[in-house]
Amino acid sequence: MAIELTALETPALLLDEARMHANITRLRDRLPAPGPFLRPHVKTAKCLEVALAMSGGVPGPITVSTLREADRFAQAGFRDIVYAVGISPNKLTHAMALLASGVQLSVILDSVEAASALTAFMQGRPERLDVLIEIDTDGHRGGIAPAAPELLVVADALRSPSVRLQGVLTHAGESYNCRSTGALEAMAEQERAGAVLAAQRLRAAGYPAPVVSIGSTPTALTARDLSGVTEVRAGVFVFFDLVMAGVGVCTPHDIALSVLTSVIGHQRDKGVTLCDAGWMALSRDRGTASQPVDQGYGLVCDAQGRVLPDFIVTAVNQEHGSIAHRNGDPGRYLDVPVGTMLRILPNHACATGAQHEGYQVLGQDGTVTARWPRFGGW
Ligand SMILES: Cc1ncc(COP(=O)(O)O)c(C=O)c1O
């Protein structure tokens, strides 16, 4: 299969396979061997082929954000799965079905309520469910502070023959707001040290807690020390996006994902070139709006993927995108004919990917060499 881009109907989601492999290699090469291993987060891609590439060609340990992902990847042979969103009681029957199918599933929680609901559900069951306590190392979202007394209260609430407290998990999502290498390194160390402290407190209280799971793309790519850590989870590194470029852990040239679009008209008086990639194709994500360089709804490239640094998608409707000069000057609009194909680099790869049913995979010569399906839902 070698299809020219011009044969595609737009909008279409493009995946540059060589860039993807380079991104995977870059992170894998950072992890010391022997040492903490990579447990990639497969929520960015939701695609079997990409997950296999992240795992080195054969199914390995993965992180998921939905039990649907767990189902799909389990069917494809992935057996060691961490579901890294706080478990709600209404998902426990689904979790049992995964255990019954032979999956080694770990769930996370951060409260006595959730722990008590879990042990009540598991009471008298023959299965054994692995649990990680979620630790808050950066004030970003969920989790228990590493030094909080509540940590041991939750551990105590998990005492059950059907539950195995395996350790701790943290995600330094605040790293997305770091603006310098020094700040990223400090955040990575804060993430590591907090998770290790929490695990040490559990061990000192008599819980084995062998697992210390950390990770986000910015911290995984900047951490100088991983001592005490057993696994690193990262997801968006596989494709990268404009938010990660704004954080400083990649450049736009590393971004493997783009949306192919066609020019459909002009509003020359307003300095706007219209294309057929609206929010349905790009998503409404405006993750770069809070960064020093606002990339609108995406950064424009020519059809070969060469960045046109002055042009961004400034507005979107469902199926229309408005391309304009980033300084708003109507005299400097993108003057290309109707039908011209362009690529748009996404703000947030997970959100843009979620708008599409599959990837048109680009080979080294820029032709489409494969189509990889992706899935959604819960
Ligand atoms: C719990 C958890 N772990 C790991 C990740 C991966 O982070 P990133 O996409 O920055 O690599 C995420 C992303 O949201 C997450 O929520």
Side-chain angles (χ1 to χ4, degrees), residues 8 25 41 55 86 103 117-118 124 126 149 155 162 170 174 190 203 207 223 233 279 333 366:
L8 294 183
T25 303
H41 207 316
S55 302
V103 171
L118 179 69
S162 304
T170 193
E174 243 344 86
Q190 185 178 316
R203 290 172 198 147
Y207 304 95
R233 306 177 326 281
W279 59 256
Y333 76 101

Side-chain angles (χ1 to χ4, degrees), residues 41 43 84 141 171 176 215-218 233-236:
H41 207 316
K43 78 186 172 95
R141 199 168 56 193
H171 164 64
Y176 281 44
S216 71
T217 287
R233 306 177 326 281
V236 78

Side-chain angles (χ1 to χ4, degrees), residues 31-38 226 229-232:
L31 296 182
F37 60 86
L38 182 62
L226 290 172
V229 170
T230 62
E231 63 182 47
V232 173

Side-chain angles (χ1 to χ4, degrees), residues 314-335:
T314 52
V316 282
N317 296 120
Q318 188 157 345
E319 300 293 351
H320 294 74
S322 299
I323 296 171
H325 195 279
R326 64 168 69 242
N327 72 8
D329 179 355
R332 299 174 66 191
Y333 76 101
L334 186 60
D335 189 8

Side-chain angles (χ1 to χ4, degrees), residues 268-320:
R268 294 188 171 84
D269 53 328
K270 294 184 186 155
V272 168
T273 304
L274 288 171
C275 71
D276 64 0
W279 59 256
M280 267 308 226
L282 298 174
S283 88
R284 278 208 171 276
D285 196 286
R286 288 279 293 111
T288 56
S290 57
Q291 294 187 323
V293 179
D294 184 346
Q295 306 280 18
Y297 290 89
L299 178 60
V300 179
C301 305
D302 67 14
Q304 286 70 45
R306 287 179 294 247
V307 175
L308 308 177
D310 291 338
F311 293 98
I312 58 175
V313 179
T314 52
V316 282
N317 296 120
Q318 188 157 345
E319 300 293 351
H320 294 74

Side-chain angles (χ1 to χ4, degrees), residues 109 131-135 144 151 154-155 158 165 167-169 202:
L109 50 78
V131 178
L132 301 169
I133 298 180
E134 186 177 7
I135 305 300
I144 300 172
L151 176 67
V154 172
L158 285 169
L165 174 55
V168 296
L169 174 146
L202 288 175

